[in-house]
Amino acid sequence: MSHGPRATRPAPAPDPSRAADPDLEGVVERDGVRLAYAVYGHAHAPTVVLVPTWSIVPSQFWKTQVGYLARHYRVVTFDGRGSGASSRPVGAEAYEDTEYAADLLAVLDATSTDTAVLVSLSCGAAWSVHVAAKHPERVLGLVAIAPSCGLNVPT
């Protein structure tokens, strides 16, 4: 039995800057640098961290991957120092690989991420390797797509 046409509301316009809305957004501060992060698919495991690619590229770079990955994994993205909603510290020493690696660890801690698969592109590969070398217990795996920066990890 039909009860006539159903009233429907148009879907809200999608935000073109995001493929998915985060479950959680926050900021963690490390040594005076504020790092903005987002968590998607919070109920899934394991966690995949989409590592910043370079100091001038915000986490929106990963937006086309987030929607799919968040249906299967818990996904963490963050704006690296110098980009997006994160701070822009002054001085070349503030942008050394070790600083980005320490930022990555700070974001893991802030998002209560004990272990994760680190997915990186370009310079992010060096930062991920630093974390994996110094804190192997935190890294389930490392995916380095087109690593373009030196992978020299001091001991």
Side-chain angles (χ1 to χ4, degrees), residues 46-49 108 113-118 137-142:
T47 297
V48 172
V49 177
L108 291 177
T113 304
D114 294 327
T115 60
V117 174
L118 307 180
E137 72 284 358
R138 305 285 305 263
V139 180
L140 294 173
L142 195 152

Side-chain angles (χ1 to χ4, degrees), residues 27 29 32-36 79-89 95:
V27 173
E29 187 171 321
V33 177
R34 293 171 43 88
L35 303 162
D79 291 332
R81 54 180 54 222
S83 72
S86 292
S87 297
R88 288 156 179 75
Y95 295 91

Side-chain angles (χ1 to χ4, degrees), residues 66-78:
V66 168
Y68 174 80
L69 290 172
R71 290 193 302 262
H72 306 280
Y73 307 99
R74 180 175 178 261
V75 178
V76 175
T77 64
F78 69 100

Side-chain angles (χ1 to χ4, degrees), residues 59-139:
S59 60
Q60 277 188 325
F61 171 84
W62 294 110
K63 77 177 185 177
T64 57
Q65 287 77 27
V66 168
Y68 174 80
L69 290 172
R71 290 193 302 262
H72 306 280
Y73 307 99
R74 180 175 178 261
V75 178
V76 175
T77 64
F78 69 100
D79 291 332
R81 54 180 54 222
S83 72
S86 292
S87 297
R88 288 156 179 75
V90 177
E93 65 282 347
Y95 295 91
E96 292 180 2
D97 288 348
T98 54
E99 293 297 326
Y100 282 98
D103 291 347
L104 174 51
L105 286 167
V107 170
L108 291 177
D109 291 342
T111 58
S112 300
T113 304
D114 294 327
T115 60
V117 174
L118 307 180
V119 177
S120 60
L121 173 79
S122 188
C123 294
W127 310 329
S128 296
V129 167
H130 276 272
V131 172
K134 301 275 185 183
H135 302 277
E137 72 284 358
R138 305 285 305 263
V139 180

